[in-house]
Amino acid sequence: MCGIIGYTGSRNAAEILINGLEKLEYRGYDSAGIAVFDGDKLNVCKEKGRLENLKILLKKHPVNGNSGIGHTRWATHGAPSKINSHPHTSMNGKISVVHNGIIENYREIKVFLEENGYKFISDTDTEVVPNLIDFYYEGDFLCAVKKAVKQLNGSYALGIICSENKDELIAVRKDSPLIIGIGENENFIASDIPAILSETKKVYFLNDNEFAVLTSSKITVTDFDNNIIEKEIHEVSFSETDAQKGGYEHFMLKEIHEQPKAVNDTLRGRLNSDLNLLLDFINKEFLTTVNKIYIIACGTAYHAGLVGKTVIEKLAKIPVFAELASEFRYNNPLVDKNTLVIAVSQSGETADTLAGVRLAKTMGAKILSISNVVGSTLTRESDYVFYTYAGPEISVASTKAYTTQLTALYLFAVYLAETKNTVLSSELDIVKKDLLSMPKTIENVLKLEEKIKLISNKIFNEKDMYYLGRGLDYAVAMEGSLKLKEISYIHSEAYAGGELKHGPIALIEDNTVVIAISTNKNLSSKMESNIKEVATRGAYTIAFVNEDTNCIHSLCDEIVVLPAKCTLLTPISTVVPLQLLAYYVAKNKGYDIDKPRNLAKSVTVE
Ligand code: AGP
């Protein structure tokens, strides 16, 4: 959610910081600011609202100087305002800080500092940090930072500068991502790779409680005890243009269209055309001891987990519990050393998912993470990692992350079934073949775009829409409904077809939009009854069916026939038109599709 960038070198720092913050806009924010040393003077410029406001301010009052820090804030402690935005500076103007995360014990630190004469001007937890560093400062910047950080509870990624050490930028993190970008006679810090991708592709991933001191020519990383830590340089494999819109009006549309390639990238090197699985990322001996699986995740990733549950149970014959990561911890999960916990997270930084993983680890479980972000906190805390390789997903509304998470879960289910020998290999071969043809299937489904656009023109003014499905279609309905509400702000719910009569049918009146997903020929007669039930009560029905679904054309106001057949993999292709529908409904409404209100790309606080 919040974004950090920092720079030290010989170029105009303000320009580099603003440029970096622009690349982080997709994370969602409500205010922005920078602090730059201009000669002896520390210039702090902040504004509420869009980065554009800060840019206008900087045009009026240009800031020179070659080192500084920048931040986009998403309010947690204190309302969105100029005063609460970052950077925050110590009372005497010496230390300036940008912070992602939450300082849980900030109240007691504040009292302690107030007793020592410090005064505060914001409502934030962050403001205690520069003042605490100042309290400990006796001429050694790093030493003061370490003493202060020792006193902090909670999560933090910090970028810190000090007016008495103008050429130094200090970075430290705990439970919040932070990377170091390595340049030529200049160095960077950032909360996310896109922020610095136009400047360098060489990065260090900072671990918890590692302190990096950056000057233009040197980066030194130490621990609390001043031991030097040798970091491994990672070469970022995606280009800056990969992180741009590539000709599409929105990142979301671009990412919807990237799905054939993204799914292919997830499969690449893992399943070959001879139908051999090339997976060796998990200890086979351990797998044979696993007697229960939990899948924990949030939002879209959770919806992927719901499909994963059904598929793993069907193929590998192991009980699987798909749980919202935010609930998992509070439900007394029955986890032990024979439990595998699969944590699904695009960003690998979602606070609830990480908390669930940490709990499961203390109970003896092994963790397999399915993530898109190499080096993310989740992947570093997991025993086994399965990267989806979907490429950067910028749109807040997740699309290609979902289809690649599904692909990863299918691959894992097949791998587990093969390892445990639970189904005939001929049955697994069918799933493998379907996986290999999925990129082509998605390409064909994307050809429905014009039709979906026309449907969206008819329904975009509705206040409520309901999604119905059975079996795997129900899980997909949940994802379709989430997409719609996230970006079009239309109230929407997904119901299992069989539940309709148990309550939701009371909501149906003339012209209520009901989107029925019926891709499974074995369940289509039951869906047919559900469509009839809502149609006779006046609903405007839109059905999404496969080409081999029994025909329900005459019953529906709109019918979309997907160029796909009913298989275990149907969810991957079915979700695509639902993503397009949400996109075009939101576009008709003229909303900010890539940055929907109140939402952030990764939710790094509870
Ligand atoms: C999806 O469109 C969402 N914006 C959201 O539900 C997201 O999937 C969720 O926050 C989990 O994020 P993660 O995959 O990065 O953990």
Side-chain angles (χ1 to χ4, degrees), residues 297-303 344-351 353 370-373 378 393 395-399 401 405 479 482-483 486-487 596 599-603:
C298 301
T300 288
Y302 166 68
H303 294 155
V344 187
S345 172
Q346 188 284 133
S347 62
E349 302 294 348
T350 300
T353 309
I370 295 179
S371 179
N372 190 33
V373 180
L378 175 65
E393 191 181 63
S395 161
V396 168
S398 195
T399 53
Q405 283 159 358
E479 177 56 12
L482 176 67
K483 283 291 87 81
E486 275 188 297
I487 58 170
L599 296 178
K601 183 62 186 163
S602 57
V603 184

Side-chain angles (χ1 to χ4, degrees), residues 50-319:
R50 290 281 182 211
L51 212 47
E52 208 44 49
N53 305 347
L54 181 63
K55 283 193 246 114
I56 293 169
L57 181 73
L58 286 167
K59 222 172 208 163
K60 278 194 212 145
H61 308 285
V63 168
N64 296 312
N66 312 117
S67 69
I69 47 180
H71 191 264
T72 43
R73 174 176 189 253
W74 189 79
T76 55
H77 290 65
S81 70
K82 185 166 175 157
I83 207 103
N84 286 336
S85 59
H86 299 212
H88 286 282
T89 303
S90 58
M91 196 179 77
N92 57 7
K94 196 189 286 176
I95 312 281
S96 199
V97 163
V98 285
H99 166 220
N100 284 0
I102 291 175
I103 307 299
E104 284 164 7
N105 59 338
Y106 81 100
R107 282 196 190 83
E108 51 190 269
I109 297 175
K110 204 167 180 174
V111 170
F112 166 76
L113 288 169
E114 278 167 345
E115 284 166 2
N116 283 281
Y118 285 84
K119 294 208 166 24
F120 293 86
I121 53 171
S122 79
D123 305 318
T124 65
D125 51 338
T126 303
E127 201 186 354
V128 300
V129 180
N131 285 298
L132 193 62
I133 297 170
D134 178 66
F135 174 81
Y136 287 118
Y137 186 81
E138 290 172 338
D140 185 333
F141 182 23
L142 180 60
C143 174
V145 170
K146 287 188 180 176
K147 280 185 179 163
V149 166
K150 218 165 219 162
Q151 219 169 308
L152 304 179
N153 292 340
S155 62
Y156 43 82
L158 297 167
I160 313 157
I161 52 177
C162 170
S163 60
E164 291 186 11
N165 304 260
K166 287 189 211 65
D167 54 338
E168 285 185 357
L169 163 58
I170 294 186
V172 58
R173 61 154 277 173
K174 185 179 158 276
D175 296 340
S176 192
L178 201 59
I179 57 161
I180 312 287
I182 307 155
E184 292 280 329
N185 295 322
E186 56 183 4
N187 289 305
F188 309 80
I189 62 165
S191 52
D192 295 75
I193 290 170
I196 54 168
L197 212 49
S198 57
E199 306 295 344
T200 180
K201 285 184 185 281
K202 290 194 172 70
V203 299
Y204 291 141
F205 294 111
L206 215 53
N207 286 320
D208 280 357
N209 298 322
E210 289 180 346
F211 295 80
V213 181
L214 290 78
T215 64
S216 55
S217 55
K218 206 171 162 203
I219 300 165
T220 313
V221 182
T222 54
D223 63 12
F224 269 115
D225 301 321
N226 299 321
N227 298 307
I228 301 270
I229 298 165
E230 296 298 338
K231 300 293 292 180
E232 189 194 335
I233 297 180
H234 290 260
E235 195 81 35
V236 179
S237 58
F238 48 80
S239 69
E240 202 198 346
T241 37
D242 282 345
Q244 305 294 328
K245 284 186 210 158
Y248 289 96
E249 195 175 342
H250 295 97
F251 281 111
M252 182 179 178
L253 190 60
K254 172 178 176 262
E255 287 157 11
I256 289 173
H257 280 271
E258 279 172 354
Q259 290 178 110
K261 178 179 181 299
V263 167
N264 207 25
D265 288 345
T266 310
L267 292 169
R268 181 172 299 133
R270 286 155 169 172
L271 176 61
N272 68 17
S273 51
D274 298 330
L275 305 186
N276 292 320
L277 278 180
L278 311 167
L279 298 176
D280 58 357
F281 68 103
I282 195 160
N283 182 312
K284 279 201 172 178
E285 230 165 272
F286 162 69
L287 272 190
T288 53
T289 68
V290 171
N291 59 16
K292 187 196 308 159
I293 294 175
Y294 275 97
I295 302 179
I296 60 170
C298 301
T300 288
Y302 166 68
H303 294 155
L306 290 173
V307 174
K309 167 194 162 62
T310 304
V311 175
I312 296 169
E313 284 182 341
K314 182 172 167 61
L315 297 180
K317 320 285 183 210
I318 290 184

Side-chain angles (χ1 to χ4, degrees), residues 334-370:
L334 300 172
V335 171
D336 60 27
K337 65 177 179 24
N338 298 117
T339 308
L340 174 68
V341 170
I342 304 179
V344 187
S345 172
Q346 188 284 133
S347 62
E349 302 294 348
T350 300
D352 284 314
T353 309
L354 288 170
V357 160
R358 286 170 189 155
L359 172 75
K361 277 174 95 168
T362 63
M363 297 170 87
K366 287 264 187 279
I367 313 295
L368 161 63
S369 59
I370 295 179

